[in-house]
Amino acid sequence: MSTITQGYLDDPVFSLVSRVAEQEGVRAFVIGGYVRDCFLGTPSKDIDIVVEGSGIALAEAVAEHIRQVEKHSCHVSVFKNFGTAMLRYHGTEVEFVGARKESYHRDSRKPIVEDGTLEEDQLRRDFTINAMAFSLQREDFGALVDPFGGIRDLAAGIIRTPLDPEVTYSDDPLRMLRAIRFATRLTTPSRTFTIVPESLEAMRKMKDRMSILSKERIVEELNKILLTPHPSMGFRLLDETGLLEYILPDLVRLKGVETVEGRGHKDNFSHTLQVVDHVAEDELRQIDAGTLHNYAPVEGSDGFVEVQRTEPYVWLRWAALLHDIGKPASKRYDPVQGWTFHGHNVLGARMVPKIFQSLKMPLNEKMKYVQKLVELHHRPVSLVDDEVTDSAVRRLLFDAGNEIDDLMLLCNADITSKNPVKVARLKRNFELVREKLAEVEAKDAIRNMKNPITGDYVMKVYGIPPCDKIGVLKEYVKNAILDGRIGNNFEEADRLMRAYAPTLGLQEVASE
Ligand code: CTP
């Protein structure tokens, strides 16, 4: 009897499934991500069980055992179309599926499924590292079943398909993105994961098969790549295989360096990927230090609660990815200044909704957050070209609102010049803005500032119907607060409004 469990199968759910499978006369195995993650030293809470027989029937039998013998309630969620069933046991999610040989229609991800043996099932899985299984049979409980060398590939850092990659990717083109996601996620400073050349070649050849995938599934994978500690690796692979051209053509357009009169500009694609990596590093560092916050609106009030961020925020990564997306459209060559990208932030912000729409991503406040960061990403650092005045910092705070911390993080990550003197100067100035922000924030409540003067109030004081003068008056008061000429309070705002209104031809109506 061989057993190499090393504690991987200590969770009581495994012996339970083992016993019930034996009673039911079927063979069951733990398979996929759980096995892979055991060997990587990061066991997951999601367990996939493959059964030579019906996965749904075994799940029902296990649940019945839990109810009858352990006297616990146990609900089984059955997904008939996929032939799978899921239950929870002491907080662990366990999914059951029957072993199958699969083949796919050319135009759909939906498989034609036939019952199969464990090995036939393993052969149809995506990668050798995801096709390993642990036996749950009493006679060899915990033995590793690894017919395609998953353990060898895991040790060597290799992503390889069990079948010819063209067959595996044709079965499910999403696997091309999964290969890139796993290579990116599993790579650490001490171990690089590479996709074997024939697999990369198959991706280049089959990139058009992406068209059968829903945008939602594509974005789910993109988000997982973005949330890795070094997303640039994934985006380089997406680019090299031609998949990026299909998914995000605007990003590919950032590639390349043009030279006129011996003057070139930086490659904006490489720069963007560097910024995404910087954001990821800094965000993780700040999460560890407990210094990063989100602001959630308090229901039924104008206020916000500060919530410490404990997970990377995918929308900040999107903002980093798209921060320079407006550069190609704004690029100009000026014989005096050289290359300029004036207004690329505004152009980029305008492109964000179109990009989100093309990927069927939400067009809600998440999109607005990305848009805001893209538009403002240059502001903190450009402030420092002039003197960092209170007024400029107040305006920055007002425009950024709750997004100020993320904006500062993105802006800092954006300093990537090869010239160490320039980097040192920008970083020093950036720190100045940061200090000033803290000062202004402590002094005036500018973040989420509401104009003390409302339109209704103006209409009442001057007895006027809605008209453009109301906007002019409010803007005048708001600017006075942001410039620091008056405090952010009703009394001073009211006094200023009453002093300025006559110049607009407004007369106060007698109060009753
Ligand atoms: N699988 C596959 N082809 C896919 C998706 C999944 O062959 N397109 C198989 C793999 O064996 C995979 C298992 O189903 O290991 C479970 O899939 P999933 O839960 O998506 O991935 P995990 O490998 O568990 O990894 P993670 O949960 O970390 O994404």
Side-chain angles (χ1 to χ4, degrees):
M1 182 165 43
S2 72
T3 165
I4 55 156
T5 63
Q6 299 178 25
Y8 298 147
L9 301 186
D10 284 354
D11 189 314
V13 74
F14 295 116
S15 44
L16 171 65
V17 174
S18 173
R19 275 198 309 280
V20 178
E22 190 174 26
Q23 279 162 22
E24 298 291 306
V26 289
R27 299 203 315 149
F29 303 82
V30 190
I31 193 153
Y34 183 86
V35 181
R36 176 198 70 223
D37 290 346
C38 278
F39 291 115
L40 288 170
T42 52
S44 74
K45 276 259 156 214
D46 292 345
I47 295 170
D48 291 305
I49 304 283
V50 65
V51 189
E52 286 180 333
S54 162
I56 296 174
L58 182 61
E60 299 282 13
V62 170
E64 193 52 26
H65 182 97
I66 294 169
R67 290 190 283 258
Q68 296 298 326
V69 180
E70 303 192 12
K71 309 278 181 235
H72 279 133
S73 63
C74 183
H75 173 72
V76 181
S77 310
V78 175
F79 307 96
K80 267 224 167 81
N81 292 349
F82 296 97
T84 63
M86 200 268 283
L87 58 81
R88 244 174 234 286
Y89 184 67
H90 297 302
T92 304
E93 216 169 78
V94 193
E95 187 150 348
F96 295 77
V97 63
R100 49 200 176 180
K101 343 183 217 200
E102 288 176 358
S103 53
Y104 290 71
H105 282 299
R106 257 202 80 74
D107 303 321
S108 158
R109 278 190 69 228
K110 295 210 173 59
I112 311 159
V113 181
E114 286 171 63
D115 292 347
T117 62
L118 171 70
E119 186 160 337
E120 282 165 336
D121 184 282
Q122 288 173 299
L123 194 60
R124 304 308 302 200
R125 287 185 179 256
D126 52 3
F127 309 114
T128 56
I129 61 168
N130 287 344
M132 297 183 279
F134 286 134
S135 168
L136 291 180
Q137 286 39 261
R138 188 214 293 258
E139 60 278 12
D140 62 352
F141 188 84
L144 178 69
V145 189
D146 180 24
F148 310 111
I151 198 83
R152 175 202 59 204
D153 288 347
L154 200 59
I158 287 175
I159 309 284
R160 182 203 313 272
T161 53
L163 283 169
D164 176 339
E166 284 192 35
V167 176
T168 300
Y169 294 144
S170 176
D171 280 355
D172 178 4
L174 190 76
R175 290 168 168 173
M176 300 193 271
L177 296 181
R178 284 173 62 89
I180 293 176
R181 192 238 300 177
F182 282 114
T184 311
R185 198 187 93 198
L186 299 180
T187 291
T188 63
S190 53
R191 180 197 47 209
T192 304
F193 267 79
T194 45
I195 302 173
V196 290
E198 59 272 28
S199 212
L200 288 170
E201 199 41 53
M203 290 182 192
R204 280 185 206 107
K205 214 160 137 191
M206 301 178 65
K207 55 181 191 294
D208 295 341
R209 291 278 286 154
M210 296 278 290
S211 59
I212 67 161
L213 300 175
S214 75
K215 297 283 196 243
E216 287 83 354
R217 299 286 291 128
I218 292 176
V219 168
E220 209 176 296
E221 287 299 324
L222 269 192
N223 284 347
K224 287 182 177 172
I225 294 171
L226 272 174
L227 286 171
T228 59
H230 295 287
S232 63
M233 176 180 172
F235 282 88
R236 285 202 191 283
L237 284 167
L238 286 172
D239 180 46
E240 280 164 27
T241 49
L243 297 174
L244 195 60
E245 181 64 49
Y246 176 82
I247 303 171
L248 263 174
D250 285 314
L251 206 62
V252 180
R253 253 158 244 145
L254 293 177
K255 274 169 64 176
V257 179
E258 220 178 312
T259 309
V260 175
E261 295 167 350
R263 295 156 91 177
H265 57 77
K266 63 180 154 194
D267 175 66
N268 288 307
F269 184 69
S270 295
H271 164 74
T272 291
L273 297 189
Q274 214 180 338
V275 173
V276 177
D277 279 357
H278 282 176
V279 161
E281 275 161 38
D282 200 17
E283 190 185 30
L284 290 176
R285 192 182 51 73
Q286 292 206 43
I287 285 173
D288 283 348
T291 54
L292 208 55
H293 300 97
N294 278 1
Y295 299 87
V298 178
E299 229 169 286
S301 91
D302 289 342
F304 289 83
V305 272
E306 212 171 306
V307 198
Q308 196 166 314
R309 196 186 293 172
T310 52
E311 298 284 338
Y313 193 47
V314 76
W315 305 107
L316 173 57
R317 310 254 168 129
W318 271 102
L321 192 68
L322 301 182
H323 81 284
D324 273 349
I325 206 74
K327 275 197 166 167
S330 65
K331 183 163 104 172
R332 302 277 176 277
Y333 182 76
D334 177 284
V336 182
Q337 287 179 285
W339 291 103
T340 65
F341 299 91
H342 289 311
H344 73 274
N345 53 327
V346 178
L347 267 176
R350 257 189 243 142
M351 289 168 73
V352 170
K354 287 190 204 125
I355 292 173
F356 269 49
Q357 200 164 25
S358 75
L359 288 170
K360 298 223 170 86
M361 281 164 50
L363 300 174
N364 57 13
E365 74 285 353
K366 314 286 190 218
M367 189 271 290
K368 292 208 178 97
Y369 162 97
V370 174
Q371 221 177 359
K372 188 189 242 188
L373 261 64
V374 171
E375 178 160 357
L376 296 178
H377 77 268
H378 236 234
R379 273 276 286 285
V381 83
S382 63
L383 271 190
V384 299
D385 290 341
D386 319 312
E387 197 195 341
V388 189
T389 60
D390 276 16
S391 145
V393 169
R394 260 190 234 107
R395 279 176 189 282
L396 172 62
L397 251 180
F398 178 76
D399 290 338
N402 280 333
E403 276 67 75
I404 188 71
D405 292 356
D406 287 352
L407 178 65
M408 290 298 279
L409 198 152
L410 172 61
C411 186
N412 190 28
D414 195 17
I415 304 175
T416 65
S417 165
K418 284 203 183 84
N419 176 348
V421 179
K422 191 171 167 197
V423 169
R425 179 174 56 82
L426 288 173
K427 293 256 174 193
R428 209 170 37 245
N429 290 345
F430 182 80
E431 279 316 311
L432 228 109
V433 177
R434 201 198 288 282
E435 280 164 29
K436 202 78 172 192
L437 266 174
E439 239 174 69
V440 169
E441 176 82 325
K443 210 159 42 147
D444 318 313
I446 298 295
R447 187 193 298 227
N448 296 313
M449 169 186 125
K450 290 254 172 346
N451 196 332
I453 301 301
T454 65
D456 281 348
Y457 183 67
V458 177
M459 288 193 276
K460 199 169 131 222
V461 174
Y462 299 104
I464 53 171
C467 62
D468 57 353
K469 286 181 182 170
I470 301 170
V472 176
L473 203 49
K474 283 180 63 185
E475 192 65 11
Y476 184 76
V477 172
K478 183 191 93 183
N479 284 330
I481 297 173
L482 294 177
D483 289 341
R485 283 184 281 128
I486 61 169
N488 181 14
N489 60 65
F490 176 76
E491 288 70 29
E492 286 178 71
D494 189 44
R495 216 175 305 134
L496 184 75
M497 175 191 85
R498 286 172 197 268
Y500 183 65
T503 65
L504 299 176
L506 296 175
Q507 297 297 324
E508 287 172 37
V509 290
S511 48
E512 6 23 290

